[in-house]
Amino acid sequence: MRGADAPLDALRVRLDGRLALPDEPGYAAAQPWNVAIPVRPAAVVAARCPRDVAEAVRFAGEHGLRVAVQRTGHGALPLDADDVLLVHTGALTDLQVDPVGRTARVGAGCVWQQVIEAAAPHGLVPLCGSAPGVGVAGFLTGGGIGPLVRSQGLSADRVRAIEVVTGEGRILRATAEQHSDLFWGLRGGKGTLGIVTAVELELLPLREVHGGAVYFDGADAEAVVRTWARWAPSLPEHADTSIALLQLPPLPAVPEPLAGRPTVAVRFASVAGDDAAAALLEELRAVATPLIDAVGPLPTSALGAIHADPVDPMPVHEGHALLRALPDDAVDALLAAAGPAAGSPQVIVELRLLGGALARAPRHASAFCQRDAAFSLCTIGVLAPPVAEAVPAHATALAAALEPWSTGGRLPNFAPSPDPAVNDRCYDAPTRAHLATLAAQHDPRGVLAVGQVVRSGAPA
């Protein structure tokens, strides 16, 4: 095969970083956060600087190879190919905060918690995701739906500049004025147009939100879900919320009232004052007696506590759909498929309210679509006995049950699929066509044609 025959030792001397073959130290960096996904490239390039990324891409072009990229691997897709080099960006951790300009320059090796901690002493916060352990670059190339998306908008809309290595091995700085085609496509187009090595983004002048989660017993799930479905769309734009049907395992990190039993979590965050935000929750708090009520003043350095997403690597299957509405019939379908009495094998079934600032056109257009969706549906199941085989089928069945209210679209950062036709649903036809045209221009050899990329403008 091409990868096995390529003179990979010749690449070693071109790098400041390290190249590792399958039997060498450093190759384990290919293991993604989702340990159920097999990722076995021909070699792993641990890039120490953007030039290493460019050298790997140029080398691949010279020898008929392809290049994939990974930091944490939260959105990893199966990869078992001896003609693919995996560039790992974990060492690109340069992080500079400008408190006067309220901006940050963030290397592609950083995760959100690092940016949060660097910005917090200045009373600033990045528009991060709900899981602070996720890589910044991968999150932003997918658009970025975070816990403040209704009040502050899409995270990628706060990006000012992107440093990228194209499929030709060129290191470019893309902004709204310079290489604007790349700036458009990198925000939402995932890895289609290049490998991001750094981003420059705006920071919000925000020290605190009124946020957290209220947890209810599974016996109260129907009342809580039905109330939330009526209540959430009426919220003012300063408030974000999601609801999750949970079946958390009895592990040390899981609070005792939530472990080993069905529960329901109502997540909430508001950038209004505490009194105004607390008043909004009165209706939900009155539905049933909470097991845990952890909503209150919350420093922005602790935004990850709102969703409390799992931190440790694990084998998971994710499902995803976007909904245009959540009427009573849709709630019936959700509870029948995933309520406490349904025998669902999922650990988490979440509905997230969208709209608000997300739905408005941004200052600078991007490849992100799906701004008109009302709700995001996400399922997470652990692929371990005795439910491993049941998890994917149930996720498919749940999506089918809610199909009458589906937009047909998907978000790039949720449940990526090895099926290109599924990932194509992240984009409308004009966006797919433009991304494919730009990919042919900036990656004529198809060096980056691996993973979650757009390479055909044909309708899905």
Side-chain angles (χ1 to χ4, degrees), residues 57-123:
V57 170
R58 293 181 195 129
F59 180 89
E62 294 162 6
H63 296 279
L65 306 176
R66 294 174 293 154
V67 178
V69 63
Q70 182 169 288
R71 170 53 181 101
T72 63
H74 277 77
L77 290 172
L79 173 62
D80 191 354
D82 61 2
D83 67 339
V84 175
L85 303 176
L86 178 68
V87 169
H88 193 276
T89 61
L92 305 181
T93 55
D94 180 60
L95 175 54
Q96 303 169 30
V97 172
D98 175 3
V100 176
R102 295 177 180 173
T103 62
R105 186 183 189 279
V106 185
C110 293
V111 299
W112 279 114
Q113 190 61 38
Q114 293 172 284
V115 189
I116 291 171
E117 292 173 1
H122 308 289

Side-chain angles (χ1 to χ4, degrees), residues 145 150 320-325 352-356 358-359 368-377 405-411:
I145 302 292
R150 282 174 41 80
H320 172 59
L322 290 172
L323 307 181
R324 52 181 169 76
R352 188 179 305 208
L353 181 67
L354 302 177
L358 170 67
F368 181 83
C369 302
Q370 320 303 336
R371 291 181 185 267
D372 59 346
F375 297 90
S376 168
L377 170 70
W405 304 278
S406 171
T407 68
R410 295 169 67 90
L411 296 175

